[in-house]
Amino acid sequence: MASLVTEDCEGIFNDREEGSDEVDGAPASYGTRGIFLGKDADIPPKYFLHKIFSPFSEGMQSFQRRSEKPPKLKLLHKDWGHTMSATVAGEGRLGLVCLEPLGPLTLNEDHAKKVSETIMSQAKDVQCEPIRWNPTNLLYLFKDNEAYLDLGKAFSNGQLDEVMGFKVVKIEPAMFVNPPKCLVEVETAAGQGEDLQGALLHVIAPFSGAFPFLTVREANSTDNGAATSNNREDGPPAKNRRTEDVVPPISLTLSFPGNMQSRATQVNERLASSWRRVNFPDQTETDPAFYVDERGRLPAIGVATGAPAAGVKLSVFVQDEAKFAEMAGFYAKVLGTDAMERVTKEGQSKVSMFPLSPRAEFYVIRQPALNLRTASNLTLYFQVSGFTLPGRRVGDDHMELTDPEGNKVVLFTVGK
């Protein structure tokens, strides 16, 4: 998981008076950063001490210095640790250095500064600056990936085995985050991230100057299937289904209050020019307008007007009516909260709503008239305090699992 770092974890809604500092609906200072783009290829290796059994060593174990490419960056909250530099993390690479005391030592502010300077001295000519610390770690801002790799080489060469009473036991790439409770990641093949990010920015910009509910990730391989859609339909269309309305199982609805109606019109016009509108059965004029990407790469996007405040609704659509209760129960466990449920349309459409914050909600929806396609390149991410559901661990702070209908879900924690 990766997202924009903004003061408010839900980003910047353009629900204030329009001003001259905005470019296409986004504050000029954000430029093309309104939607985050991460690239797997840019993640450098982590370096660590690997324990091995050794009958001739004290404690029957010894260590090997190893390195490997992590699947994800280490996530640190934007306010993590104690500040030791006026430098604000911007361009460059963050690296978290984990320390282990060689004796009865604890890291405090004065000692952290000395240890950090000694590490740079022993590593020699590494272009970096220590910016934060906590009792067991130092956080450095490196000029670039090459500078980060230079410190990794010093670790691998044993130059950091003794640093003023501490040993460096791990170095890993990190990033600051301040994510919302839930977000959607769109995976695409290498070399296609900027185009996809630009297409999304074009749609989102009138609504939000910094939109952390949707991120783009470039996978390493150019042949991983991320850029293509799987338009599988399970069996013949059911009664009353409109077969042309094939939609992804995940959607985001942008809610516009009264003072943003002109912006809602802009988003509708941009979607109508290159996306296809989906007509739900029995849809009224007050219901959100939903659009799907013709190339099948993106979640559906809805536009709701007349809302009391700007906000976002994230939804997962249920294909099998018999699994609706199971799906709602699954996401109740993920979110750790009960749903506010309602059944409409004479019992055919079912909705479970989970409040995430005053401006964000998550929905589980059963809409019988929709044909759903699988979307292997879309993943729902949920921030949790710990991992209580079974799944596959991906690094220290991510866990992959699937919901009862096979949608990809990732739970993540953030270091604070």
Side-chain angles (χ1 to χ4, degrees), residues 128-281:
C128 63
E129 180 182 3
I131 60 172
R132 305 271 186 95
W133 68 277
N134 74 5
T136 57
N137 299 276
L138 295 170
L139 184 66
Y140 287 83
L141 176 62
F142 296 86
K143 178 184 177 182
D144 49 29
N145 267 3
E146 288 301 318
Y148 172 89
L149 294 175
D150 287 340
L151 187 66
K153 291 175 184 176
F155 172 85
S156 299
N157 293 334
Q159 296 168 235
L160 308 180
D161 284 354
E162 202 288 317
V163 185
M164 295 193 67
F166 288 86
K167 172 190 283 191
V168 174
V169 295
K170 183 166 61 175
I171 304 171
E172 59 184 325
M175 72 174 301
F176 284 135
V177 295
N178 186 26
K181 181 74 173 177
C182 174
L183 58 91
V184 179
E185 179 189 83
V186 181
E187 179 185 343
T188 189
Q192 298 181 13
E194 281 85 1
D195 288 344
L196 199 58
Q197 180 193 40
L200 290 168
L201 280 170
H202 177 68
V203 172
I204 297 294
F207 177 72
S208 172
F211 193 70
F213 295 96
L214 185 61
T215 68
V216 177
R217 179 175 66 86
E218 263 195 19
N220 268 324
S221 173
T222 57
D223 187 26
N224 61 1
T228 61
S229 65
N230 179 0
N231 291 318
R232 175 182 59 83
E233 293 182 33
D234 294 327
K239 184 180 179 180
N240 296 327
R241 283 196 177 176
R242 293 183 172 91
T243 57
E244 70 272 19
D245 289 343
V246 180
V247 301
I250 295 171
S251 73
L252 294 98
T253 299
L254 315 179
S255 297
F256 292 82
N259 67 331
M260 292 179 69
Q261 293 310 296
S262 63
R263 295 184 181 276
T265 299
Q266 290 180 55
V267 172
N268 267 315
E269 290 174 347
R270 295 181 184 197
L271 287 167
S273 67
S274 56
W275 296 49
R276 177 169 51 82
R277 182 162 178 172
V278 177
N279 296 310
F280 289 7

